């Protein structure tokens, strides 16, 4: 059984957990002979038992993710230390064979020639070596469409202080969940050292619709309170409005705070409705939030350096192109079938 089954769709499932299914199967089942229908019911009971076993499988997968997360963490800690400039990697640690070495060598030659020309024009001044990898996480945010869509210009100076993003899995015996931790260095915007977002998950068949089970799904999320410094809260903006008194005709100016677009609204998410009843906009917003949380967990955090360099973006684009090509082929096949149907209606005697 595929351990990744269902995981890729965790962030995109309908928050209500229900899946659209054809209605015709009820008609088909009603047409079966009574004895056959009875045996089909037995098979359905077996299918429910399979779903329950599958749920146990995913619980063990979650335990394995927790176990291996602890093994990855020292490597991610080293990544953080290099990014922030706390640690300088050794020459041996910096050795890396690239498939583009020839291109890089040519680029270096061009750079050297340019540097010589610049030196001739003006007196050379020693260049200050930047600390760590400046704007590492901000560069990732700006490169990934899903994240850049949330990013506003006023968010960027704050995200320059982002040191690390970590994923923490729920402890044994606790309800299944994972937490995204955004670690910040001291800054002039808020007092929090860590901002958190908890994603609550469910890995069990729904009693009312057990056959819709496809693995763990995110069912809710919870943000955190940001302790903003005075006047630094980018999630709100102050507007001024003029009000005219109906009787006296005098005009006064009032100021009030209204919500403002910002990445940091990510930490104040829409809450899932306990009864599953939500308006379409809220449902879409929540489903998008689930998708983003899942993307941080599965792609951004484990492969951060590849999103920084853009290599992971190339992989993602290739995958999307392959999916698109397959979809185009299916559409063409359907059109071909329609043409064949039209040919079949042709009457040579007409």
């Amino acid at each position: 059984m595929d351990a990744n089954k269902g995981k890729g769709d965790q962030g995109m499932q309908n928050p209500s957990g229900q899946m659209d299914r054809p209605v015709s199967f009820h008609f088909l089942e009603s047409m079966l002979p009574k004895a056959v229908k009875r045996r089909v019911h037995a098979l359905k009971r077996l299918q429910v038992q399979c779903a329950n076993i599958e749920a146990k499988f995913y619980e063990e997968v979650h335990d394995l993710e927790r176990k291996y997360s602890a093994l990855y963490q020292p490597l991610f800690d080293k990544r953080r230390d290099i990014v922030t400039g706390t640690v300088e990697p050794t020459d041996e640690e910096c050795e890396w064979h690239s498939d583009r070495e020839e291109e890089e060598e040519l680029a270096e030659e061009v750079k050297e020639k340019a540097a010589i020309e610049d030196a001739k024009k003006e007196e050379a001044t020693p260049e200050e070596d930047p600390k760590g990898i400046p704007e590492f996480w901000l560069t990732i945010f700006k490169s990934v469409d899903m994240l850049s869509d949330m990013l506003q210009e006023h968010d960027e100076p704050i995200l320059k202080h982002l040191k690390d993003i970590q994923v923490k899995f729920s402890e044994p015996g606790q309800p299944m969940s994972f937490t995204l931790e955004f670690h910040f260095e001291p800054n002039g915007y808020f007092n929090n050292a860590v901002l958190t977002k908890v994603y609550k998950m469910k890995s069990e068949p729904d009693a009312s619709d057990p056959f819709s089970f496809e693995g763990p799904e995110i069912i809710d999320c919870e943000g955190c309170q940001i302790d903003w410094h005075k006047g630094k809260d980018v999630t709100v903006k102050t507007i001024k409005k003029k009000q005219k008194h109906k009787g006296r005709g005098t005009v006064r100016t009032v100021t009030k705070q209204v919500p403002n677009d910002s990445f940091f609204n990510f930490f104040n998410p829409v809450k899932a409705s306990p009864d599953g009843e939500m308006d379409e906009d809220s449902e879409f917003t929540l489903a998008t939030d689930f998708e983003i949380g899942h993307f941080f967990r599965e792609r951004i955090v484990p492969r951060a350096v590849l999103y920084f360099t853009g290599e992971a973006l190339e992989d993602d684009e290739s995958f999307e192109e392959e999916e698109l090509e397959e979809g185009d082929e299916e559409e063409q096949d359907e059109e071909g079938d329609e043409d064949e149907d039209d040919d079949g209606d042709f009457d040579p005697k007409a």
Side-chain angles (χ1 to χ4, degrees):
M1 196 175 290
D2 185 357
N4 290 316
K5 179 188 170 191
K7 289 174 67 178
D9 296 329
Q10 287 170 1
M12 295 172 279
Q13 291 188 20
N14 187 308
S16 65
Q18 300 297 318
M19 298 176 64
D20 295 331
R21 294 192 295 165
V23 180
S24 58
F25 73 91
H26 287 300
F27 176 74
L28 176 64
E29 192 172 329
S30 68
M31 298 296 289
L32 295 173
K34 188 174 181 180
V36 176
K37 191 188 299 184
R38 182 173 172 273
R39 294 168 196 139
V40 169
H41 290 170
L43 295 185
K44 285 187 173 181
R45 287 177 63 88
L46 293 175
Q47 191 63 43
V48 171
Q49 292 177 50
C50 288
N52 288 325
I53 291 173
E54 189 177 8
K56 292 294 182 185
F57 165 77
Y58 284 116
E59 286 178 11
E60 293 196 21
V61 168
H62 189 72
D63 291 338
L64 278 174
E65 286 182 312
R66 184 192 308 109
K67 172 186 174 182
Y68 279 87
S69 176
L71 300 178
Y72 289 133
Q73 197 54 52
L75 302 177
F76 292 157
D77 289 343
K78 186 69 176 286
R79 177 180 71 187
R80 176 202 60 212
D81 291 343
I82 292 173
V83 165
T84 58
T86 306
V87 167
E88 184 63 35
T90 64
D91 290 342
E92 183 180 356
E93 289 173 330
C94 293
E95 287 181 7
W96 181 255
H97 172 73
S98 171
D99 294 334
R100 303 171 185 171
E101 274 186 354
E102 291 183 7
E103 295 177 13
E104 290 171 356
E105 286 174 6
L106 288 172
E108 284 299 323
E109 288 178 12
V110 172
K111 285 180 183 177
E112 286 175 11
K113 289 178 181 177
I116 292 170
E117 291 298 319
D118 288 342
K120 289 177 181 177
K121 291 178 183 178
E122 57 180 308
E123 188 174 333
T125 55
E127 185 180 346
E128 186 179 347
D129 187 19
K131 183 181 178 183
I133 304 178
E135 301 182 14
F136 179 79
W137 291 104
L138 175 58
T139 300
I140 294 171
F141 274 59
K142 293 168 78 172
S143 301
V144 178
D145 289 343
M146 189 183 297
L147 304 181
S148 64
D149 287 345
M150 299 191 295
L151 194 63
Q152 305 299 319
E153 189 174 346
H154 48 253
D155 295 325
E156 295 185 17
I158 309 175
L159 289 170
K160 289 179 181 180
H161 297 284
L162 181 58
K163 298 191 300 182
D164 198 19
I165 306 176
Q166 297 181 12
V167 179
K168 303 292 184 184
F169 293 92
S170 53
E171 294 298 325
Q174 292 182 346
M176 187 182 290
S177 69
F178 68 91
T179 301
L180 298 177
E181 294 183 350
F182 295 75
H183 293 251
F184 287 83
E185 63 189 12
N187 59 80
Y189 297 91
F190 47 73
N191 292 317
N192 312 62
V194 182
L195 300 181
T196 59
K197 184 79 169 282
V198 180
Y199 286 90
K200 301 173 184 179
M201 304 172 71
K202 184 181 78 170
S203 182
E204 58 186 28
D206 192 320
S208 62
D209 189 14
F211 305 130
S212 67
F213 181 69
E214 292 190 340
E217 60 176 326
I218 299 171
I219 57 172
D220 199 5
C221 58
E222 188 176 311
C224 67
Q225 185 73 35
I226 302 179
D227 184 15
W228 294 100
H229 292 172
K230 187 176 180 180
K232 296 294 186 178
D233 186 352
V234 295
T235 64
V236 295
K237 60 183 177 183
T238 302
I239 61 170
K240 293 183 179 181
K241 291 185 70 176
K242 289 185 178 181
Q243 294 181 342
K244 187 175 182 180
H245 193 279
K246 290 181 180 179
R248 295 192 296 268
T250 55
V251 177
R252 67 173 183 174
T253 301
V254 295
T255 59
K256 66 174 184 176
Q257 287 190 329
V258 295
N260 193 29
D261 290 338
S262 169
F263 163 73
F264 291 91
N265 289 320
F266 180 69
F267 300 98
N268 184 27
V270 172
K271 294 297 292 178
S273 174
D275 57 9
E277 294 295 327
M278 300 179 70
D279 63 73
E280 191 174 331
D281 288 344
S282 296
E283 196 170 276
F284 176 78
T285 300
L286 194 59
T288 302
D289 192 313
F290 291 174
E291 185 178 357
I292 292 168
H294 181 72
F295 196 74
F296 267 117
R297 164 188 159 170
E298 293 293 321
R299 305 285 293 173
I300 298 293
V301 173
R303 297 159 60 85
V305 65
L306 301 182
Y307 280 96
F308 177 79
T309 61
E311 292 163 87
L313 295 171
E314 292 175 6
D315 291 343
D316 290 347
E317 286 169 4
S318 299
F319 181 70
E320 287 171 5
E321 286 172 7
E322 286 173 14
E323 281 190 332
L324 186 61
E325 287 169 6
E326 287 174 6
D328 289 344
E329 287 174 9
E330 288 175 8
E331 192 174 328
Q332 288 168 7
D333 289 344
E334 288 173 6
E335 290 173 359
D337 292 341
E338 288 174 7
D339 293 341
E340 287 172 12
D341 291 341
D342 291 341
D343 292 344
D345 293 335
F346 175 69
D347 186 356
K349 295 178 183 178

